[in-house]
Amino acid sequence: MICGTTTAGPPSTARSWAGILSLADHAQNGFYAWSEWVPVVASAFATTFLAVPLLIRVGRGYLLACGLVMMIQAGVGLAGFTLHVLADWHGPATQMRDNFLCGAPAFAPLLFPNIAVLAGLGLWAMGRSLPNA
């Protein structure tokens, strides 16, 4: 075993986007920092925001607001990437490699911007299908 501790959990894809799985992942260290709550709250907010057009008819204004929420999601992902890399950079292991292998998954937060882009494409397609007003 390279590292003293390993983290078991769902794949990184599910961990980054689903709020409940992000909650479970960050709970492994007891939510030591307040910033660990940000992806949990942000993903819950974004998921709820994006679910509304699936339930009721919305206008362009709401789609633009969804686009703004997706930009915020991308920002959350970039901030998470930075925080994960900094946590690994200053980790407890004696070798940097061990910090990156067994510490915070550096690329997991980048799934937030990836999914925000995909949601943006969906919002754009929905906007194109709306009648011109």
Side-chain angles (χ1 to χ4, degrees):
M1 177 183 293
I2 295 175
C3 305
T5 60
T6 59
T7 58
S12 295
T13 303
R15 221 183 316 172
S16 290
W17 182 245
I20 193 72
L21 295 175
S22 180
L23 176 69
D25 189 41
H26 285 145
Q28 288 181 15
N29 66 348
F31 288 97
Y32 180 73
W34 66 268
S35 59
E36 294 176 11
W37 282 99
V38 173
V40 175
V41 173
S43 61
F45 185 71
T47 302
T48 304
F49 224 79
L50 288 175
V52 170
L54 301 176
L55 302 173
I56 61 172
R57 184 173 292 270
V58 296
R60 291 192 192 283
Y62 190 83
L63 294 179
L64 289 173
C66 283
L68 177 64
V69 170
M70 291 304 104
M71 285 190 235
I72 292 169
Q73 285 294 107
V76 167
L78 294 173
F81 173 74
T82 303
L83 291 173
H84 279 215
V85 168
L86 288 173
D88 290 338
W89 190 269
H90 300 291
T94 57
Q95 292 186 352
M96 182 76 63
R97 174 184 57 128
D98 291 344
N99 287 330
F100 278 94
L101 288 176
C102 299
F107 294 110
L110 291 179
L111 291 164
F112 276 74
N114 292 343
I115 293 175
V117 168
L118 292 174
L121 290 172
L123 292 169
W124 174 73
M126 286 180 74
R128 288 182 50 110
S129 69
L130 290 176
N132 290 333

